[in-house]
Coordinates of all heavy atoms in Angstrom, one line a residue:
M1 N 0.1 -10.0 -4.3 CA -0.4 -8.7 -4.3 C -0.5 -8.2 -5.7 O 0.3 -8.4 -6.5 CB 0.6 -7.8 -3.6 CG 0.7 -8.0 -2.0 SD 1.7 -6.9 -1.2 CE 2.8 -8.1 -0.4
F2 N -1.5 -7.4 -5.9 CA -1.7 -6.7 -7.1 C -1.7 -5.2 -6.9 O -2.0 -4.8 -5.8 CB -3.1 -7.1 -7.7 CG -3.3 -8.6 -7.8 CD1 -4.1 -9.2 -6.9 CD2 -2.9 -9.3 -8.9 CE1 -4.3 -10.6 -7.0 CE2 -3.0 -10.6 -9.1 CZ -3.8 -11.3 -8.1
H3 N -1.2 -4.5 -7.9 CA -1.2 -3.1 -7.6 C -1.8 -2.4 -8.8 O -1.8 -2.9 -9.9 CB 0.3 -2.5 -7.4 CG 1.1 -2.8 -8.7 ND1 1.2 -1.9 -9.6 CD2 2.0 -3.8 -8.9 CE1 2.1 -2.4 -10.5 NE2 2.5 -3.6 -10.1
H4 N -2.3 -1.2 -8.6 CA -2.9 -0.3 -9.6 C -2.4 1.0 -9.4 O -2.5 1.5 -8.3 CB -4.4 -0.4 -9.6 CG -5.0 -1.8 -9.6 ND1 -5.1 -2.5 -10.7 CD2 -5.4 -2.6 -8.6 CE1 -5.6 -3.7 -10.5 NE2 -5.8 -3.8 -9.2
F5 N -2.0 1.7 -10.4 CA -1.5 3.0 -10.3 C -2.6 4.0 -10.7 O -3.1 3.8 -11.8 CB -0.2 3.2 -11.1 CG 1.0 2.6 -10.5 CD1 1.3 1.3 -10.9 CD2 1.8 3.2 -9.6 CE1 2.4 0.6 -10.4 CE2 2.9 2.6 -9.1 CZ 3.2 1.3 -9.5
F6 N -2.7 5.0 -10.0 CA -3.7 6.2 -10.3 C -2.9 7.4 -10.4 O -2.9 8.1 -9.4 CB -4.9 6.3 -9.3 CG -5.7 5.0 -9.3 CD1 -5.5 4.0 -8.3 CD2 -6.6 4.8 -10.2 CE1 -6.3 2.9 -8.3 CE2 -7.5 3.7 -10.3 CZ -7.3 2.7 -9.3
N7 N -2.2 7.7 -11.5 CA -1.3 8.8 -11.5 C -2.0 10.1 -11.3 O -1.4 11.1 -10.8 CB -0.4 8.8 -12.8 CG 0.5 7.6 -12.8 OD1 1.0 7.2 -11.7 ND2 0.7 7.0 -13.9
A8 N -3.2 10.3 -11.9 CA -3.8 11.5 -11.9 C -4.2 12.0 -10.5 O -4.0 13.3 -10.2 CB -5.2 11.5 -12.7
K9 N -4.4 11.1 -9.7 CA -4.6 11.6 -8.2 C -3.4 11.4 -7.3 O -3.5 11.5 -6.1 CB -5.8 10.6 -7.6 CG -7.1 10.9 -8.3 CD -8.2 10.0 -7.8 CE -9.5 10.3 -8.5 NZ -10.5 9.4 -8.0
R10 N -2.3 11.0 -7.9 CA -1.1 10.7 -7.2 C -1.2 9.6 -6.1 O -0.8 9.8 -5.1 CB -0.5 12.0 -6.6 CG -0.2 13.0 -7.7 CD 0.5 14.3 -7.2 NE 0.2 14.5 -5.8 CZ 0.0 15.7 -5.2 NH1 -0.1 16.7 -5.9 NH2 -0.2 15.8 -3.9
K11 N -2.0 8.6 -6.5 CA -2.2 7.5 -5.5 C -1.8 6.2 -6.1 O -1.9 6.0 -7.3 CB -3.7 7.4 -5.1 CG -4.1 8.5 -4.3 CD -5.6 8.3 -3.9 CE -6.1 9.3 -3.0 NZ -7.5 9.1 -2.5
I12 N -1.4 5.2 -5.3 CA -1.0 3.9 -5.6 C -1.9 3.0 -4.7 O -1.9 3.2 -3.5 CB 0.4 3.6 -5.5 CG1 1.3 4.5 -6.3 CG2 0.7 2.1 -5.8 CD1 2.8 4.5 -6.1
V13 N -2.6 2.1 -5.3 CA -3.5 1.2 -4.5 C -2.9 -0.3 -4.7 O -2.7 -0.7 -5.8 CB -5.0 1.2 -5.0 CG1 -5.7 0.2 -4.1 CG2 -5.5 2.6 -4.9
I14 N -2.6 -0.9 -3.6 CA -2.0 -2.2 -3.6 C -3.1 -3.2 -2.9 O -3.4 -3.0 -1.8 CB -0.7 -2.3 -2.8 CG1 0.3 -1.4 -3.4 CG2 -0.2 -3.8 -2.8 CD1 1.6 -1.3 -2.7
E15 N -3.6 -4.0 -3.7 CA -4.6 -5.1 -3.2 C -3.8 -6.2 -2.5 O -2.9 -6.8 -3.2 CB -5.5 -5.5 -4.3 CG -6.7 -6.2 -3.8 CD -7.7 -6.4 -4.9 OE1 -8.3 -5.3 -5.3 OE2 -7.8 -7.5 -5.5
L16 N -4.1 -6.5 -1.3 CA -3.3 -7.6 -0.6 C -4.0 -8.9 -0.6 O -5.2 -9.0 -0.5 CB -3.1 -7.1 0.9 CG -2.5 -5.7 1.0 CD1 -2.7 -5.2 2.4 CD2 -1.0 -5.8 0.7
N17 N -3.2 -10.0 -0.8 CA -3.7 -11.3 -0.7 C -3.9 -11.9 0.6 O -4.7 -12.8 0.8 CB -2.7 -12.3 -1.5 CG -2.7 -12.0 -3.0 OD1 -3.7 -11.5 -3.5 ND2 -1.6 -12.4 -3.6
E18 N -3.2 -11.3 1.6 CA -3.2 -11.7 3.0 C -3.9 -10.6 3.8 O -3.8 -9.5 3.4 CB -1.9 -12.1 3.6 CG -1.2 -13.3 2.8 CD 0.1 -13.6 3.5 OE1 0.3 -13.4 4.6 OE2 1.0 -14.0 2.7
R19 N -4.3 -10.9 5.0 CA -4.8 -9.9 5.9 C -3.7 -9.6 6.9 O -3.1 -10.5 7.4 CB -6.1 -10.4 6.7 CG -7.2 -10.7 5.7 CD -8.5 -10.2 6.0 NE -8.7 -9.1 6.9 CZ -9.1 -7.9 6.3 NH1 -9.1 -7.6 5.1 NH2 -9.4 -6.9 7.2
Y20 N -3.6 -8.2 7.2 CA -2.6 -7.8 8.2 C -3.4 -7.1 9.3 O -4.2 -6.2 9.0 CB -1.6 -6.9 7.5 CG -0.8 -7.6 6.5 CD1 -1.2 -7.6 5.1 CD2 0.3 -8.4 6.8 CE1 -0.4 -8.4 4.2 CE2 1.1 -9.1 5.9 CZ 0.6 -9.1 4.5 OH 1.3 -9.8 3.6
F21 N -3.2 -7.5 10.5 CA -3.9 -6.9 11.6 C -3.2 -5.8 12.4 O -3.8 -5.2 13.3 CB -4.4 -8.0 12.5 CG -5.3 -9.0 11.9 CD1 -4.8 -10.3 11.4 CD2 -6.6 -8.7 11.6 CE1 -5.6 -11.1 10.7 CE2 -7.5 -9.7 11.0 CZ -7.0 -10.8 10.5
D22 N -2.0 -5.6 12.1 CA -1.3 -4.4 12.7 C -0.6 -3.7 11.6 O -0.1 -4.2 10.6 CB -0.4 -4.8 13.8 CG 0.8 -5.7 13.3 OD1 0.7 -6.8 13.1 OD2 1.9 -5.1 13.1
K23 N -0.4 -2.3 11.8 CA 0.2 -1.5 10.8 C 1.6 -1.8 10.4 O 2.0 -1.7 9.3 CB 0.0 0.0 11.2 CG 0.2 1.0 10.2 CD -0.9 1.1 9.2 CE -0.7 2.1 8.2 NZ -1.5 3.3 8.2
N24 N 2.4 -2.2 11.4 CA 3.8 -2.5 11.1 C 3.9 -3.7 10.1 O 4.7 -3.7 9.1 CB 4.5 -2.9 12.4 CG 5.0 -1.7 13.2 OD1 5.4 -0.7 12.5 ND2 4.9 -1.7 14.4
S25 N 3.1 -4.7 10.3 CA 3.1 -5.9 9.3 C 2.7 -5.4 7.9 O 3.2 -5.9 7.0 CB 2.2 -7.0 9.9 OG 2.6 -7.5 11.1
L26 N 1.6 -4.6 7.9 CA 1.2 -4.1 6.6 C 2.2 -3.3 5.9 O 2.4 -3.5 4.7 CB -0.1 -3.2 6.9 CG -0.7 -2.5 5.6 CD1 -1.6 -3.6 4.9 CD2 -1.4 -1.3 6.0
M27 N 2.9 -2.4 6.6 CA 3.9 -1.6 6.0 C 5.0 -2.5 5.5 O 5.6 -2.3 4.4 CB 4.4 -0.6 7.0 CG 3.4 0.6 7.2 SD 3.1 1.6 5.8 CE 4.6 2.6 5.8
R28 N 5.5 -3.4 6.3 CA 6.6 -4.4 5.9 C 6.2 -5.1 4.6 O 7.0 -5.3 3.7 CB 7.0 -5.3 7.0 CG 7.8 -4.6 8.1 CD 8.5 -5.6 9.0 NE 7.5 -6.5 9.7 CZ 6.9 -6.2 10.8 NH1 7.2 -5.0 11.5 NH2 6.1 -7.0 11.5
A29 N 4.9 -5.5 4.5 CA 4.5 -6.3 3.3 C 4.5 -5.4 2.1 O 4.8 -5.8 1.0 CB 3.0 -6.9 3.6
V30 N 4.0 -4.2 2.3 CA 4.0 -3.2 1.2 C 5.3 -2.9 0.7 O 5.6 -2.9 -0.5 CB 3.3 -1.8 1.6 CG1 3.5 -0.7 0.6 CG2 1.8 -2.1 1.8
V31 N 6.3 -2.6 1.6 CA 7.7 -2.3 1.2 C 8.3 -3.6 0.6 O 9.0 -3.4 -0.5 CB 8.5 -1.9 2.5 CG1 10.0 -1.9 2.2 CG2 8.1 -0.6 3.0
Q32 N 8.1 -4.7 1.1 CA 8.6 -5.9 0.4 C 8.1 -6.1 -1.0 O 8.8 -6.5 -1.9 CB 8.3 -7.2 1.3 CG 8.8 -8.5 0.8 CD 8.5 -9.6 1.7 OE1 7.5 -9.6 2.4 NE2 9.3 -10.7 1.7
H33 N 6.8 -5.9 -1.1 CA 6.2 -6.0 -2.4 C 6.8 -5.0 -3.5 O 7.1 -5.4 -4.5 CB 4.7 -5.8 -2.4 CG 4.0 -5.8 -3.7 ND1 3.9 -6.8 -4.5 CD2 3.5 -4.7 -4.4 CE1 3.2 -6.4 -5.6 NE2 3.0 -5.1 -5.6
L34 N 6.9 -3.8 -3.0 CA 7.4 -2.7 -3.9 C 8.9 -3.0 -4.3 O 9.4 -2.8 -5.4 CB 7.3 -1.3 -3.3 CG 5.8 -0.9 -3.2 CD1 5.7 0.3 -2.3 CD2 5.2 -0.7 -4.6
E35 N 9.7 -3.5 -3.3 CA 11.1 -3.8 -3.6 C 11.2 -5.0 -4.5 O 12.1 -5.1 -5.4 CB 11.8 -4.1 -2.2 CG 12.1 -2.8 -1.4 CD 12.8 -3.1 -0.1 OE1 12.7 -4.2 0.4 OE2 13.3 -2.1 0.4
S36 N 10.2 -6.0 -4.4 CA 10.3 -7.1 -5.3 C 10.1 -6.7 -6.8 O 10.3 -7.4 -7.7 CB 9.3 -8.2 -4.9 OG 8.0 -7.8 -5.2
E37 N 9.4 -5.6 -7.0 CA 9.1 -5.1 -8.3 C 10.3 -4.1 -8.7 O 10.1 -3.4 -9.8 CB 7.8 -4.2 -8.3 CG 6.6 -5.2 -8.2 CD 5.3 -4.4 -8.6 OE1 5.3 -3.2 -8.6 OE2 4.4 -5.2 -9.0
G38 N 11.3 -4.1 -8.0 CA 12.5 -3.2 -8.4 C 12.5 -1.8 -8.0 O 13.3 -1.0 -8.4
K39 N 11.5 -1.5 -7.1 CA 11.4 0.0 -6.6 C 12.3 0.2 -5.4 O 12.6 -0.8 -4.7 CB 9.9 0.3 -6.2 CG 8.9 -0.1 -7.3 CD 8.9 0.9 -8.3 CE 7.7 0.7 -9.3 NZ 7.8 1.4 -10.5
Q40 N 12.8 1.4 -5.3 CA 13.5 1.7 -4.1 C 12.5 2.3 -3.0 O 11.8 3.2 -3.3 CB 14.5 2.8 -4.3 CG 15.7 2.3 -5.2 CD 16.8 3.3 -5.2 OE1 16.8 4.4 -4.7 NE2 17.9 2.9 -5.8
C41 N 12.4 1.5 -2.0 CA 11.3 1.8 -0.9 C 11.9 1.7 0.4 O 12.7 0.8 0.8 CB 10.2 0.8 -1.1 SG 8.8 1.3 -0.1
E42 N 11.6 2.7 1.3 CA 12.0 2.7 2.7 C 10.9 3.2 3.5 O 10.2 4.2 3.3 CB 13.2 3.8 2.8 CG 13.7 4.0 4.1 CD 14.8 5.1 4.2 OE1 15.2 5.5 3.1 OE2 15.2 5.4 5.3
M43 N 10.7 2.5 4.7 CA 9.6 2.8 5.6 C 10.2 3.9 6.6 O 11.2 3.7 7.2 CB 9.3 1.6 6.4 CG 8.0 1.8 7.3 SD 7.4 0.3 8.0 CE 8.0 0.3 9.6
I44 N 9.5 5.0 6.6 CA 9.9 6.1 7.6 C 9.2 5.9 9.0 O 9.9 6.0 10.0 CB 9.4 7.5 7.1 CG1 10.0 7.7 5.7 CG2 9.8 8.6 8.0 CD1 11.5 7.7 5.6
D45 N 8.0 5.6 9.0 CA 7.2 5.3 10.2 C 6.0 4.4 9.8 O 5.9 4.0 8.6 CB 6.8 6.5 11.0 CG 5.9 7.5 10.2 OD1 5.1 7.1 9.4 OD2 6.0 8.7 10.5
V46 N 5.1 4.1 10.6 CA 4.0 3.2 10.3 C 2.9 3.9 9.3 O 2.0 3.1 8.9 CB 3.3 2.7 11.6 CG1 4.2 1.8 12.4 CG2 2.6 3.8 12.4
N47 N 3.1 5.1 9.1 CA 2.2 5.9 8.2 C 2.8 6.4 7.0 O 2.1 6.9 6.1 CB 1.4 7.0 8.9 CG 0.6 6.5 10.0 OD1 -0.2 5.6 9.8 ND2 0.7 7.1 11.2
T48 N 4.2 6.4 6.9 CA 4.9 7.1 5.8 C 6.0 6.2 5.2 O 6.7 5.5 6.0 CB 5.5 8.4 6.3 OG1 4.6 9.0 7.1 CG2 6.0 9.3 5.2
L49 N 6.1 6.3 3.9 CA 7.2 5.6 3.2 C 7.8 6.5 2.2 O 7.1 7.4 1.7 CB 6.9 4.2 2.8 CG 5.8 3.9 1.8 CD1 6.4 4.2 0.4 CD2 5.4 2.5 1.9
I50 N 9.0 6.2 1.7 CA 9.6 6.9 0.5 C 9.7 5.8 -0.5 O 10.3 4.8 -0.3 CB 10.9 7.5 1.0 CG1 10.8 8.6 1.9 CG2 11.7 8.1 -0.4 CD1 12.0 9.3 2.4
L51 N 9.2 6.2 -1.7 CA 9.1 5.3 -2.9 C 9.8 6.0 -4.0 O 9.3 7.0 -4.4 CB 7.7 5.0 -3.2 CG 7.5 4.1 -4.5 CD1 8.3 2.8 -4.4 CD2 6.0 3.8 -4.7
D52 N 10.9 5.5 -4.5 CA 11.7 6.1 -5.6 C 11.9 7.7 -5.4 O 11.6 8.5 -6.3 CB 10.9 5.9 -6.9 CG 11.0 4.4 -7.3 OD1 11.9 3.7 -6.9 OD2 10.1 3.9 -8.1
G53 N 12.2 8.1 -4.1 CA 12.5 9.4 -3.8 C 11.3 10.3 -3.6 O 11.4 11.5 -3.2
K54 N 10.0 9.8 -3.5 CA 8.9 10.5 -3.3 C 8.2 10.0 -2.0 O 8.2 8.8 -1.7 CB 7.8 10.4 -4.3 CG 8.3 11.1 -5.7 CD 7.3 10.9 -6.8 CE 7.8 11.5 -8.1 NZ 6.8 11.4 -9.2
K55 N 7.7 10.9 -1.2 CA 7.1 10.5 0.2 C 5.6 10.3 0.0 O 4.9 11.0 -0.7 CB 7.3 11.7 1.1 CG 7.0 11.3 2.5 CD 7.1 12.5 3.5 CE 8.6 12.7 3.9 NZ 8.7 13.7 4.9
Y56 N 5.2 9.1 0.6 CA 3.8 8.8 0.5 C 3.2 8.4 1.9 O 3.9 7.9 2.7 CB 3.6 7.4 -0.3 CG 3.8 7.6 -1.7 CD1 5.1 7.5 -2.3 CD2 2.8 7.9 -2.6 CE1 5.3 7.7 -3.7 CE2 2.9 8.0 -4.0 CZ 4.2 7.9 -4.5 OH 4.4 8.1 -5.8
Y57 N 2.0 8.9 2.1 CA 1.2 8.5 3.3 C 0.5 7.1 3.0 O -0.1 7.1 1.9 CB 0.2 9.7 3.6 CG -0.8 9.3 4.7 CD1 -0.3 9.3 6.1 CD2 -2.0 8.9 4.5 CE1 -1.2 9.0 7.1 CE2 -2.9 8.6 5.4 CZ -2.5 8.6 6.8 OH -3.3 8.2 7.8
V58 N 0.5 6.3 3.9 CA -0.2 5.0 3.7 C -1.3 4.8 4.7 O -1.1 5.0 5.8 CB 0.9 3.8 3.8 CG1 0.2 2.5 3.6 CG2 2.1 4.1 3.0
H59 N -2.4 4.4 4.1 CA -3.6 4.0 5.0 C -4.2 2.8 4.3 O -4.0 2.5 3.1 CB -4.6 5.1 5.2 CG -5.4 5.5 4.0 ND1 -4.9 6.3 3.0 CD2 -6.6 5.1 3.5 CE1 -5.8 6.4 2.0 NE2 -6.9 5.7 2.3
E60 N -5.0 2.0 5.1 CA -5.6 0.9 4.7 C -7.0 1.0 4.5 O -7.6 1.8 5.2 CB -5.3 -0.4 5.6 CG -6.0 -0.3 6.9 CD -6.0 -1.6 7.6 OE1 -6.6 -2.6 7.2 OE2 -5.4 -1.6 8.7
T61 N -7.6 0.2 3.6 CA -9.0 0.2 3.4 C -9.4 -1.3 3.2 O -8.7 -2.1 2.9 CB -9.5 1.0 2.2 OG1 -8.9 0.4 1.0 CG2 -9.1 2.5 2.1
N62 N -10.7 -1.5 3.5 CA -11.2 -2.9 3.3 C -12.5 -2.6 2.4 O -13.3 -1.8 2.5 CB -11.7 -3.4 4.6 CG -10.6 -3.8 5.4 OD1 -9.8 -4.7 5.2 ND2 -10.3 -3.0 6.5
V63 N -12.5 -3.6 1.3 CA -13.5 -3.6 0.4 C -14.5 -4.8 0.6 O -14.0 -5.9 0.5 CB -13.0 -3.5 -1.1 CG1 -14.1 -3.6 -2.0 CG2 -12.1 -2.3 -1.3
A64 N -15.7 -4.5 0.9 CA -16.5 -5.7 1.2 C -17.0 -6.3 0.0 O -17.3 -5.7 -1.0 CB -17.7 -5.2 2.1
A65 N -17.1 -7.6 0.0 CA -17.7 -8.4 -1.2 C -18.8 -9.2 -0.7 O -18.9 -9.6 0.5 CB -16.5 -9.3 -1.8
T66 N -19.7 -9.6 -1.6 CA -20.9 -10.3 -1.2 C -20.7 -11.8 -0.8 O -21.1 -12.1 0.3 CB -21.9 -10.3 -2.4 OG1 -22.1 -8.9 -2.7 CG2 -23.3 -10.9 -1.9
Y67 N -19.9 -12.5 -1.6 CA -19.8 -13.9 -1.4 C -18.4 -14.3 -1.0 O -18.0 -15.5 -1.1 CB -20.3 -14.7 -2.6 CG -21.7 -14.5 -2.7 CD1 -22.2 -13.7 -3.8 CD2 -22.7 -15.1 -2.0 CE1 -23.6 -13.4 -4.0 CE2 -24.0 -14.9 -2.2 CZ -24.5 -14.1 -3.2 OH -25.8 -13.9 -3.4
C68 N -17.5 -13.4 -0.7 CA -16.1 -13.7 -0.3 C -15.7 -12.8 0.8 O -16.4 -11.8 1.1 CB -15.2 -13.7 -1.5 SG -15.1 -12.1 -2.3
P69 N -14.5 -13.2 1.5 CA -14.1 -12.3 2.5 C -13.7 -10.9 2.0 O -13.4 -10.7 0.8 CB -12.8 -12.9 3.1 CG -12.8 -14.3 2.4 CD -13.7 -14.3 1.3
P70 N -13.7 -9.8 2.9 CA -13.3 -8.5 2.4 C -11.8 -8.5 2.0 O -11.0 -9.3 2.4 CB -13.5 -7.6 3.7 CG -13.7 -8.5 4.7 CD -14.1 -9.9 4.3
V71 N -11.6 -7.6 1.0 CA -10.3 -7.5 0.5 C -9.6 -6.3 1.1 O -10.2 -5.2 1.3 CB -10.3 -7.3 -1.0 CG1 -8.9 -6.9 -1.6 CG2 -10.9 -8.5 -1.7
Q72 N -8.4 -6.5 1.7 CA -7.6 -5.4 2.3 C -6.8 -4.7 1.3 O -6.1 -5.4 0.5 CB -6.7 -6.0 3.4 CG -6.1 -4.9 4.3 CD -5.4 -5.6 5.4 OE1 -4.8 -6.7 5.3 NE2 -5.3 -4.9 6.5
R73 N -6.7 -3.4 1.2 CA -5.9 -2.6 0.4 C -5.1 -1.6 1.1 O -5.5 -1.1 2.2 CB -6.8 -1.8 -0.7 CG -7.5 -2.7 -1.6 CD -8.3 -1.9 -2.6 NE -9.0 -2.7 -3.5 CZ -9.9 -2.3 -4.4 NH1 -10.4 -1.2 -4.2 NH2 -10.5 -3.2 -5.2
A74 N -4.0 -1.3 0.6 CA -3.0 -0.3 1.1 C -3.1 0.8 0.1 O -2.8 0.5 -1.1 CB -1.6 -0.8 1.3
V75 N -3.4 2.1 0.5 CA -3.6 3.2 -0.4 C -2.4 4.1 0.0 O -2.2 4.6 1.0 CB -4.8 3.9 -0.3 CG1 -4.9 5.1 -1.2 CG2 -6.0 2.9 -0.5
L76 N -1.5 4.4 -1.1 CA -0.4 5.3 -0.9 C -0.8 6.6 -1.6 O -1.0 6.6 -2.8 CB 0.9 4.7 -1.5 CG 1.5 3.5 -0.9 CD1 0.7 2.2 -0.9 CD2 2.9 3.3 -1.5
T77 N -0.7 7.7 -0.8 CA -1.1 9.0 -1.4 C 0.2 9.8 -1.3 O 0.8 10.0 -0.2 CB -2.2 9.7 -0.5 OG1 -3.3 8.8 -0.5 CG2 -2.6 11.0 -1.2
E78 N 0.6 10.4 -2.4 CA 1.8 11.2 -2.5 C 1.7 12.5 -1.6 O 0.6 13.1 -1.6 CB 2.2 11.6 -3.9 CG 3.5 12.2 -4.1 CD 3.9 12.5 -5.4 OE1 3.2 12.1 -6.4 OE2 4.8 13.4 -5.7
I79 N 2.7 12.8 -0.8 CA 2.8 13.9 0.0 C 3.8 14.9 -0.6 O 4.9 14.5 -1.0 CB 3.3 13.6 1.4 CG1 2.4 12.6 2.1 CG2 3.4 14.8 2.3 CD1 3.0 11.9 3.3
N80 N 3.4 16.2 -0.7 CA 4.4 17.1 -1.3 C 5.3 17.6 -0.2 O 5.1 17.8 0.9 CB 3.6 18.4 -1.8 CG 2.8 18.0 -3.0 OD1 3.2 17.2 -3.8 ND2 1.7 18.6 -3.3

């Protein structure tokens, strides 16, 4: 998994190497990835997690590519 931080928009985008077909599996993979990077992460429900004390809403996107399979991404948006 690769991650890119977009601090100005309070978003984190995680590009996934594998495809996840249900939200629970996707959320577990995101939590596992963030914890492997030393972050404190806890899943609240299938749409929400707490990362280093901040609450984030999580949704997935798919980016189409011309000559390869689409890339699945998890987008974390900070909730106030």
